[in-house]
Structures are given as C-alpha cells and as structure tokens.
Amino acid sequence: MATSRISNEPAFVLHRHDWSETSLILEVFTRNHGRMALVAKGVKRPSSSFRPILLPLQPLHLAFGGDAEIKTLKAAEWQGGHVMPTGDALMSGLYLNELLLHLLAREDPHPLLFDVYASVVQIIASEHGEVLESALRAFELLLLREIGLLPLLDAQTLTLMALHPQERYSLVPEGGLRQASAADRASLSGAQWTALQQVLDERVPFTSVLRACAEVATALKPQLRTLLNYHCGVTTLRTRQMMVDLQNL
C-alpha cells in the first residue's frame, strides 16, 4: 500500500549525492518523520526550481510520498531566514550533519532534536561566532541524550554514587561518568556535571544548556568528541579531520 503524501514538512538536507544524470538522492532530517532518504528527480536540470534550494543548512518545507524505502520528493519550498554559512561556520554545520547521519536511524522522529538543530543552524548562520562552541557542545549533549547514549550526569555511572561537588569526574565511552584519573585528558567538577544534568532535565532545555556549556566548553569538548567518535565507530569524523587539515594549511 502506497504511503500517503506528506506535505509541508519542516526539513533540512543533511547530504546529497548523484543518482542519475539529472537526479539526486537526498538524506534529509524532518521534524515529524526523522531522517529520511528522498529521490529528487530532474533536480540537476538547469530549469529545475528545486536546484538552488536543496542545499545543506537551509530551512525547507518538503512534500514527498511513495511506498519504497527511498521516497519521492514532490515539492520543496525554502523558508528563508539566512544565507549559506561559510568558512568555519560551514564546517561546523556539516559536522552536525555528519553526526546525524551516523547516529540517527531512518524514520525515527525526534522533533525536540530537530528544533535544537534548527536553533544551532541559526547561530551558525549568524555573526555570533562567540557562542558557536557553546552551541556545538549543547547540541552534542542533547543529541546523545535524545538517542539514549548519555548517562546521567549527577551520579557515577557504574556505582550510582553521588558526585562530590569539588571532586573531578570524566565522561568516558565505556565507563560513563567516573572519578577522574591523572591519565584523563579533561574533567569537570561534580558541581559542574550536576549543573549540566539539571538544565538537561528542563522541558525545553536548549537555551539553558547553551548557557551552562559556555562555562565548561573547553573541558567538555574532548570528552564529548571521544564519546561521539566511539558511538559513530570512527577515530575521527571526516568534517573534524577536514577542519584540522585546513588549519594546518
């Protein structure tokens, strides 16, 4: 039985690749249907109205349908609001997209995460570069929590013992949150981890998590990067390696 047509669905393009001489396969993140694969037929033709808008980091409303695993794109409308980011901001946006492609199953809706992603994309596309690192850390935390890969941050994972406010703890891939050792690259105090858990528990947490991350972004970054790489099954994500290579140049 054919899937009924879905219309006016908020979405972002995560990735696109050639399907034929005139068509593309799109990986999109939709608000109500999760990550999906769509075929955009004829979009590479110069006359296609879809061609200039089916780009990453652009807010869209899509219509699609079909009964196959790869649905067929029927319509696309750009929602405006910002121009395409460039430089480090663009690489940051592509990094978010790579995380979603690795960690989200297809057709598994995450509307709260979609709203967080849209908020971070707005920051990336703005001139507020001073909050970009905090926004990336907030997104990483909320992504891990949303898909069930973030342990509670107000107790030691293996023992469930409470955190001591002044003691240092590290977040590690196979052990969760544990007391820090001299070998750990980074750590936060028990009070800092507990404060992060408190804002993660809010009903609409993004702004509060963003503010909390601003105070601990430097120490949080290597811990979240290691955890995300572990769950993505890679040593280094491609976008991260590209950023390092560009900085070295």
Side-chain angles (χ1 to χ4, degrees), residues 7 22 26 41 54 68 73 80 91 98 107 119 131 191 199 209 249:
S7 300
T22 60
L26 307 174
K41 295 181 179 178
L54 293 176
L73 180 69
M91 294 304 297
E98 187 175 6
E107 300 189 45
S119 296
V131 300
V199 294
V209 176
L249 289 173

Side-chain angles (χ1 to χ4, degrees), residues 168-172 176-189 192-193 216-226:
R168 308 292 297 186
Y169 300 88
S170 292
L171 184 62
V172 297
L177 195 62
R178 59 158 173 74
Q179 196 157 16
S181 69
D184 290 320
R185 291 177 55 199
S187 63
L188 298 179
S189 71
Q192 290 170 324
W193 284 120
V216 295
T218 300
L220 197 56
K221 182 176 181 177
Q223 298 178 79
L224 290 178
R225 180 183 299 175
T226 300

Side-chain angles (χ1 to χ4, degrees), residues 14 27-29 34-36 94-110 113 136 139-150 224-234 237:
L14 300 178
E27 288 282 354
V28 299
F29 184 29
R35 182 169 73 88
M36 303 192 71
L94 297 180
Y95 164 69
L96 299 186
N97 290 357
E98 187 175 6
L99 286 178
L100 294 177
L101 286 168
H102 273 286
L103 295 174
L104 293 188
R106 283 211 180 129
E107 300 189 45
D108 183 17
H110 293 279
L113 184 62
L136 294 177
F139 180 81
E140 290 166 346
L141 280 170
L142 289 164
L143 168 61
L144 287 165
R145 189 200 66 169
E146 181 74 7
I147 59 178
L149 297 178
L150 185 70
L224 290 178
R225 180 183 299 175
T226 300
L227 185 59
L228 287 162
N229 287 348
Y230 174 82
H231 287 299
C232 290
V234 298
L237 289 165

